[in-house]
Structure formats: structure tokens, C-alpha cells
Amino acid sequence: MSHTVQFTDVCEFMARHLADVFDTMLAMKAVQVPNAELPQFGERVSGAAGFGGETVTGAVYLHLSETFAKQVAAAMLGLSPEEITGESEVNDVVGEAANMLTGGLKSWLCDAGTECALSTPAIIRGTSFAIEPMPHVQREWLVFDCGGNRFVVEVHLKFN
Amino acid sequence: MPTKILSVDDSRTIRLIVGKAFRPYDVQMFEGSNGEEGLAAAAREKPDLIILDVTMPIMDGVTMLGKLKENPELKAIPVIMLTAESGRDNVLQIAKIGVRDYLVKPFKEDQLIEKAGRIVTLQKKPAV
């Protein structure tokens, strides 16, 4: 089956969906910053979830600084950042946010005739790591601002 | 007797949010982190309502839903699917197996309460 979905459409959808997830689950306003430089994180928390089907494979990564990840975790759980004491709470929230982002994209792709299934989310933590896509995978980084905190959604997509 | 609600989701975050949403009501919450745990909790507690995720490790929500419907003792328990996946085909597939309602993540707590309140009695706890 030939696909009619364009990568630019996917990125536009992700920008809208990210804002919706932040607004609905965190009561936080996140806006895309077009053409922004990628932020330099110290300690980074990245949530990832993949999707795959006969005609499309891909993944969505949500990259947050550790400090902002803690704020996000607190907002989603209805706590203050000081009440978030362990990495596991932050990991679970960032993983769930990645799951919501990727699930929305998966549903959007399915409705556009590009059937695929969703993976369970994973977390990567560290100060210095790089994610390299496989050959022929299209990749885009979308930079967002939320109350002065810059963060990144990285989209990988390959049409088979 | 409090209303018994079982939340089955691999994300502790979602189970916490669901529990928090029902805190003002006379509700007894139970949890499972995958379909196997959810089925065991359903058999043990006979909840009035199950709030069920789709994508989970070990046993996913669609498989758990199918097994619930095969079990004469559990098949009448109403289920609300709470999932990040909202594709038309996905919804239709799950609707065929039999769910009472469907809520897509991201969601607001009051949306969950509204949907649950249409299925079970949610009585506010008296102010202390």
C-alpha cells in the first residue's frame, strides 16, 4: 500500500499533540520554538516509545533536563517538586508522557490508513548519550518552551 | 458499602492519577499492573468497575478483556478502557469484545469521573 502521510504532517501533528498532552495532564503551556537550537542538557531524562507495522516504523523520544523532568512529574502527580524524592516516579511519568505522545501519533497514523502497533515505553538517563537512527529513517527534533524550560521531542519515521 | 473500582495499568503514574480522581468519593480502589494481575484482582475482589489500559507487558488489556468476557463470574463487570490509542479500528475492535466506555489519554480527572459515574454510584465522602 502506498502511503499518503508526509513526514512534515507527522511533525505538525506532534507539535499540536505535545501541547495538548501538557495542557491536559500537567496544566502547563508548552509552545514549539521553530528553528531553535537544541538545548544542552546536563543530566537528561528521555522517554521513548516505538511503533511499527507493515508500512511504517518509528519512535518518539521526549528529552527533558532532570530538573524539568521533576517538575513535570510533580505536575502530573499533583505534588510539589520537593515531594518527588525518587528517580522511579520521574521515570514513570516521563515514560507515560512518551506513551501518550506516541500513542496519539500511532492513532493518527492508523486513521490515515497506516496501520501500526505501539510498544511499551522505555527510559534513558544520562549526561552524555546520542541516539542514532537506522539508515533511511527520517528524523526531526522539535524544540519546545514551557515556562522558560526548553525541551525536545525527537521523531523517527520510516515508511517501508 | 463503598464502590469497588479496579485500575489496571502498567504505569504507576496512571494508577495514582486514577486513584486520586476517586479519592473524594466512597470508593475502594484496587490495582493491577498488567492483565494477569488485573484478572486475578477481578476474580478476588469482584469490582463494580474496571478501568483498563490497552498496551501492557505480560498480558495486554485486550487479552484481559477477552478473558473477562469468557468467564461467567466476571463477564458482567463493566469496563472502561483508558488508553493512549484512539485509532478508529482499535476502538472498533475493542468495542466488539464489549466495553462500556472508552477514554483516551491525555485525559482530565473529571472526564473519568463523569464516565464512571454513568456506570456506578459515586457517592461523595462526607466532609471531615
Side-chain angles (χ1 to χ4, degrees):
Chain A
M1 189 178 86
S2 66
H3 60 85
T4 55
V5 175
Q6 302 298 313
F7 190 52
T8 50
D9 300 331
V10 170
C11 293
E12 283 174 15
F13 170 80
M14 282 310 300
R16 291 195 305 274
H17 189 49
L18 182 285
D20 183 36
V21 168
F22 267 59
D23 180 42
T24 306
M25 297 305 297
L26 312 172
M28 286 175 151
K29 187 174 171 58
V31 292
Q32 191 183 0
V33 187
N35 306 316
E37 281 188 21
L38 289 176
Q40 298 300 309
F41 298 115
E43 180 82 20
R44 189 189 342 167
V45 184
S46 297
F51 52 91
E54 281 186 20
T55 58
V56 69
T57 53
V60 176
Y61 299 85
L62 175 64
H63 302 292
L64 309 173
S65 71
E66 190 190 32
T67 308
F68 185 51
K70 210 170 185 178
Q71 290 179 36
V72 166
M76 199 179 279
L77 297 172
L79 302 170
S80 69
E82 294 73 34
E83 289 176 280
I84 304 288
T85 53
E87 285 187 358
S88 65
E89 290 157 308
V90 176
N91 290 351
D92 199 76
V93 166
V94 175
E96 187 53 40
N99 180 51
M100 288 181 199
L101 287 173
T102 315
L105 177 58
K106 179 256 177 194
S107 302
W108 184 81
L109 287 167
C110 288
D111 285 347
T114 314
E115 282 297 321
C116 52
L118 185 66
S119 77
T120 51
I123 288 290
I124 311 163
R125 272 180 175 265
T127 52
S128 177
F129 62 87
I131 294 164
E132 294 296 335
M134 299 295 282
H136 311 298
V137 172
Q138 299 180 83
R139 166 162 67 175
E140 183 65 74
W141 292 277
L142 309 173
V143 178
F144 292 85
D145 183 275
C146 181
N149 296 289
R150 293 278 170 110
F151 65 98
V152 178
V153 173
E154 180 176 346
V155 183
H156 293 197
L157 195 72
K158 182 185 175 192
F159 291 108
N160 301 316
Chain B
M1 283 279 283
T3 300
K4 291 174 155 187
I5 296 181
L6 170 62
S7 170
V8 185
D9 200 304
D10 59 329
S11 165
R12 185 167 166 266
T13 298
I14 295 298
R15 299 197 307 270
L16 283 170
I17 292 171
V18 169
K20 187 157 69 75
F22 288 108
R23 208 170 290 154
Y25 299 92
D26 189 18
V27 164
Q28 189 177 8
M29 291 298 303
F30 302 93
E31 291 187 356
S33 64
N34 59 61
E36 268 188 16
E37 288 184 12
L39 272 177
R44 193 175 58 244
E45 305 296 342
K46 304 286 190 308
D48 301 298
L49 174 66
I50 298 173
I51 297 170
L52 180 59
D53 186 20
V54 173
T55 307
M56 293 183 288
I58 301 174
M59 182 191 290
D60 67 27
V62 176
T63 305
M64 179 184 155
L65 182 62
K67 288 184 181 292
L68 271 178
K69 296 301 172 188
E70 287 167 10
N71 186 327
E73 288 186 18
L74 305 179
K75 68 179 183 185
I77 300 172
V79 174
I80 296 176
M81 298 303 287
L82 177 60
T83 171
E85 301 177 55
S86 64
R88 273 191 305 267
D89 291 348
N90 196 55
V91 174
L92 285 172
Q93 184 205 352
I94 291 167
K96 275 183 197 165
I97 308 173
V99 290
R100 288 291 291 272
D101 214 331
Y102 201 98
L103 185 58
V104 178
K105 303 171 188 173
F107 66 100
K108 289 200 181 290
E109 289 176 15
D110 51 5
Q111 292 175 299
L112 177 61
I113 295 299
E114 189 204 334
K115 284 180 184 286
R118 288 186 202 152
I119 299 170
V120 294
T121 303
L122 293 178
Q123 204 152 35
K124 283 257 187 191
K125 283 180 189 165
V128 181

